[in-house]
Amino acid sequence: GLATDARTANQLRAATEKLNTGAKAVEISTINAETFETIPEQHFEELNRLRKLVGAELTLHAPIVEPTGLTKKGWDPEDREQAERQMIDAIEKANKLNPQGNVVTTFHSSESTGLPSETYEWMGEGEKRKKVLKEVILIDERSGGIQNLPLKQSAFEGNKNIGPEKEIENINKANWYKNLQHINYVAEQGAQRIDGALREVSEIPKVSGKGLLQLYKYNINGQGEKVDKAISLVEKDNPMLGAQLKASLNEMGHGEIYLRDAYSNLRELYDQAYDALKKSKKEAELKKLDSFRKEMSPFIENEKYLKDPENLEEFKEKIRKGVHVLRSIEVPQILRPLKEFALDKSSDTFSNIAFHAFNKFGEHAPIISIENPPAGTGFLTSGDELRELVKMSREKFVNKAVEKGISENQAKKEAEKLIGVTWDVGHINQLRKYGAREKELLGQAKAIAPYLKHIHLSDNFGIENVELPMGMGNVPKETFKLLAEQSKGFEKIKKVVEVGNWHHHFQVTPFGETLMAFGSPIYAPG
C-alpha cells in the first residue's frame, strides 16, 4: 500500500491519486492535528464510498499526539486527558472509512518532538556487547518537573558506573534528606524563639506563659489597646520588664512565622511521600503517615484551631514530631524514570481509547496500532518498549472490560485484536547512529513480532529519517523474513510505503522501486 501526502487536508484527492497507481491499500496520512481538523466530515464518508468503488482497503495514520500528556513544560493529568480526547476523535473518524471493518489506526507511542530522551550507545563485542545508558530522564509526577541524570563513573565508588537504579536511589535520598533538613531547621528556629519568649516572660511578675499567648492573640487580632494596657502595668513596676515583654511578643511573632513556614513545607513533603508510597504499595509506611495525620487532625480540619496562638505550643510539638515521622519512613521514590512513567500513562491512554472504540463500535471497532517514532527522538521507541506498552495497554483494557461484566477470556481476545504495533522499519534503523548493528535491529523486530498489526516501509542510512524507497538504504532485508516467520497472519498485514521525502524531491511513485527491493518482477516475461 501507499501513504497519502500528509501535508494536505484534501485527503480525498490524495487517496484517489494513490489508488490510480493500482495500490490495493492506501493509508490516509493525517499526522498534523490542525490539518486533520481541516478535513470535512463528509470526506471520510466519501473515502469509504471510494474504497468500496475500487475494491481497496484504507488505513489511517492519526495525528501525532503525545499520549502521556507530557509537554516541554512538564506533565499535568489534564494534558493527558486532552490527548486522549484528540485520539478518540481520530478513532471515531477512522471508523467512517469502513464502518463494517476494523480500520487499522496508527498512533505514535510518543510525540518525539521537543521532549527529552535517554542517551545510550552499544558497546563491546561478541557476547559482551550491550546497550549502555549514558543519561536517564527523571520525572516528579506530582510537580510534573523533568530533569536529566547523567550516568558517570564515580571516583568515590572506585571509578565504577554504579548503574541507573542506584543513581536514582541516591538522588531521591539526597533530595529527601535535604528537604527534611530544611523543614527541621525552620521548625527548630520557630520552636526556639517561642521557647525563648516563654522563658523570658517567666521572669516578669503577673505575666505567665499562658498570659503571653493571650497577649499575642490580642496583638494579631487587632486588639492592641489590651496589649498596651498590659505593658503599661508592667512598666509601672519596672520599665525594663515592659521592654522585655515587648521583645517576647516580637519573638512570638517571629517564631510563629517560622513554624507556619515549616508546616507548609511539611504538608507538601507529606503529600509527596504519600503519593510515592501509595504507588509503590508500601503499606507499613503509609500506616505511619496515616497515624500522624490523625494526630494533626485538629489543625487540619479546624482552621480556627490552626490559627489560634494559644495552640502554638501544641502546634510546635506536632511539627517536630512530623519531621521525625518523615525521617523514620523509607525514602519515597519521588523522582522516577521517565520511561517507566511514560509506559504507565501511555498505557492508560491507549487502553482507554481502545475500550471506547470497543464500547461504541463493537466487532467493527478500529484497531489501535502503536508505532515506534524515529529512534532517539523521544521515548518508547524501541521494540522492547513497544512490547511492554502493548502488554500494559491490553492488561488495562481487560480490567476495564471485566469491570463492565465482560468475561476475562472474551476481554483478552478483544484486547489482542484491538491493540498492537505498527512497526516502522526506517524509524528503528536510526538506532545505527547510536552504534546498533544489524543483529540488534533484528532483535528489536523480534520483540514486537507477536504483536504486529501493520508495517511502515521506508529506508534510510541509520542517521536521518529521510524516507527513501526500500532497497535504497541499509534497513536489514532479514527483518521481513523474521517478521513473516514470527507474526500471526503476516500475509494479511498491510505494508504501507511511507516515502514523503522521496516523492517531494523526485516526484516519482515509489511503487516500482519497492517491488524491486522485495524481488518482485515489475515487467511481464518477454
Side-chain angles (χ1 to χ4, degrees):
L2 297 174
T4 61
D5 187 344
R7 296 169 297 178
T8 179
N10 192 350
Q11 288 292 315
L12 186 59
R13 183 174 67 185
T16 301
E17 290 173 353
K18 299 303 177 184
L19 289 168
N20 285 343
T21 67
K24 298 295 289 180
V26 171
E27 179 141 293
I28 307 303
S29 296
T30 56
I31 61 175
N32 180 277
E34 185 176 347
T35 303
F36 183 66
E37 288 295 307
T38 310
I39 303 172
E41 185 174 13
Q42 292 84 351
H43 276 215
F44 291 95
E45 296 167 357
E46 279 298 298
L47 284 165
N48 177 42
R49 189 183 67 82
L50 180 63
R51 172 193 66 79
K52 291 189 288 185
L53 184 66
V54 301
E57 293 188 68
L58 300 179
T59 64
L60 178 71
H61 194 314
I64 297 176
V65 177
E66 177 49 56
T68 62
L70 267 167
T71 67
K72 295 177 184 179
K73 295 179 181 179
W75 183 77
D76 189 291
E78 291 184 5
D79 290 328
R80 191 207 65 77
E81 291 169 9
Q82 181 180 341
E84 185 176 303
R85 287 191 288 270
Q86 283 184 267
M87 295 164 80
I88 285 174
D89 177 61
I91 284 293
E92 293 185 348
K93 288 174 178 174
N95 178 257
K96 293 178 183 293
L97 297 176
N98 185 356
Q100 301 305 311
N102 301 104
V103 177
V104 175
T105 308
T106 292
F107 295 94
H108 276 204
S109 62
S110 69
E111 187 181 15
S112 76
T113 54
L115 293 172
S117 60
E118 293 179 341
T119 56
Y120 52 85
E121 61 181 332
W122 267 269
M123 300 180 69
E125 296 295 336
E127 294 182 0
K128 294 183 178 181
R129 185 167 170 76
K130 61 181 180 179
K131 179 180 175 182
V132 179
L133 279 172
K134 297 296 184 181
E135 182 179 60
V136 294
I137 313 300
L138 304 179
I139 185 167
D140 179 343
E141 183 175 342
R142 185 173 175 80
S143 70
I146 296 173
Q147 68 182 72
N148 294 32
L149 177 62
L151 301 175
K152 300 177 180 178
Q153 288 187 340
S154 168
F156 188 78
E157 298 282 345
N159 291 323
K160 293 188 297 184
N161 188 328
I162 63 176
E165 294 83 6
K166 188 67 175 177
E167 288 276 18
I168 295 168
E169 181 184 338
N170 287 345
I171 197 170
N172 273 309
K173 281 183 178 178
N175 288 343
W176 180 250
Y177 290 125
K178 181 180 178 180
N179 289 332
L180 275 178
Q181 183 184 18
H182 173 72
I183 295 173
N184 190 55
Y185 172 79
V186 175
E188 286 305 313
Q189 285 291 312
Q192 287 171 19
R193 286 174 181 263
I194 290 172
D195 289 342
L198 293 170
R199 278 196 308 272
E200 289 290 320
V201 84
S202 66
E203 300 174 6
I204 304 174
K206 301 179 184 178
V207 182
S208 63
K210 189 173 182 181
L212 178 65
L213 289 169
Q214 182 60 54
L215 287 174
Y216 180 65
K217 185 175 182 178
Y218 289 149
N219 212 15
I220 65 173
N221 286 341
Q223 296 174 292
E225 70 280 356
K226 293 183 178 181
V227 178
D228 292 340
K229 184 178 179 180
I231 292 173
S232 296
L233 289 172
V234 171
E235 284 179 330
K236 281 183 181 180
D237 296 333
N238 188 332
M240 291 184 64
L241 291 178
Q244 189 172 327
L245 179 55
K246 288 180 183 178
S248 293
L249 286 168
N250 285 334
E251 280 296 283
M252 289 291 294
H254 293 312
E256 184 185 9
I257 290 171
Y258 273 116
L259 284 181
R260 297 206 182 279
D261 185 28
Y263 176 69
S264 177
N265 284 294
L266 179 71
R267 183 176 57 186
E268 176 63 25
L269 209 59
Y270 178 100
D271 286 344
Q272 284 184 9
Y274 203 93
D275 285 352
L277 293 170
K278 191 173 181 180
K279 286 183 182 301
S280 55
K281 299 180 180 178
K282 304 287 185 180
E283 298 298 332
E285 307 297 75
L286 287 171
K287 285 181 181 178
K288 292 180 185 178
L289 295 181
D290 286 333
S291 177
F292 174 66
R293 189 195 179 286
K294 287 179 183 177
E295 289 189 40
M296 287 294 293
S297 58
F299 295 98
I300 297 169
E301 296 165 7
N302 188 336
E303 192 172 343
K304 290 183 179 178
Y305 196 89
L306 175 64
K307 291 182 176 180
D308 192 340
E310 291 187 23
N311 298 320
L312 273 176
E313 269 284 282
E314 182 186 0
F315 187 53
K316 166 174 65 78
E317 294 307 317
K318 290 290 190 239
I319 291 174
R320 277 174 162 167
K321 181 168 184 181
V323 172
H324 292 309
V325 169
L326 291 179
R327 186 180 284 131
S328 73
I329 63 174
E330 181 180 321
V331 175
Q333 299 302 295
I334 293 169
L335 289 172
R336 58 191 289 211
L338 181 61
K339 184 188 294 183
E340 176 187 305
F341 166 88
L343 282 168
D344 182 23
K345 300 306 175 186
S346 291
S347 59
D348 282 346
T349 301
F350 285 118
S351 62
N352 286 346
I353 64 172
F355 191 73
H356 174 89
F358 172 71
N359 204 36
K360 186 165 185 176
F361 302 115
E363 62 177 322
H364 300 301
I367 290 169
I368 313 301
S369 197
I370 308 170
E371 179 181 356
N372 55 308
T377 58
F379 42 87
L380 306 186
T381 62
S382 74
D384 295 330
E385 291 159 353
L386 254 66
R387 178 185 60 202
E388 289 306 306
L389 178 55
V390 169
K391 288 169 68 175
M392 289 178 69
S393 300
R394 287 180 176 180
E395 286 171 9
K396 291 179 179 180
F397 176 97
V398 170
N399 292 337
K400 289 175 176 49
V402 170
E403 286 177 6
K404 295 294 183 180
I406 299 169
S407 72
E408 185 174 353
N409 187 49
Q410 181 62 27
K412 286 181 177 179
K413 288 181 180 178
E414 295 296 341
E416 289 178 9
K417 173 186 174 183
L418 295 178
I419 305 173
V421 168
T422 290
W423 192 238
D424 192 306
V425 298
H427 288 173
I428 198 63
N429 197 55
Q430 290 173 253
L431 284 176
R432 289 183 185 272
K433 63 185 173 186
Y434 301 105
R437 297 175 183 171
E438 189 164 311
K439 181 180 178 181
E440 282 89 38
L441 297 173
L442 293 174
Q444 297 295 306
K446 185 177 181 180
I448 59 89
Y451 307 95
L452 191 66
K453 299 288 186 184
H454 200 54
I455 296 176
H456 281 168
L457 299 175
S458 69
D459 215 333
N460 57 54
F461 295 97
I463 308 298
E464 299 295 334
N465 187 35
V466 293
E467 294 184 330
L468 296 171
M470 297 306 301
M472 293 189 173
N474 57 15
V475 168
K477 291 183 179 179
E478 285 293 311
T479 298
F480 306 100
K481 182 180 179 182
L482 184 151
L483 292 175
E485 291 173 348
Q486 302 197 20
S487 301
K488 293 180 181 178
F490 183 79
E491 66 283 351
K492 294 183 180 179
I493 291 172
K494 296 174 185 63
K495 297 85 178 171
V496 172
V497 179
E498 273 196 325
V499 288
N501 287 339
W502 161 266
H503 190 267
H504 173 72
H505 288 293
F506 300 102
Q507 297 295 308
V508 176
T509 176
F511 216 18
E513 285 79 2
T514 303
L515 291 174
M516 285 191 289
F518 286 103
S520 299
I522 59 172
Y523 302 108

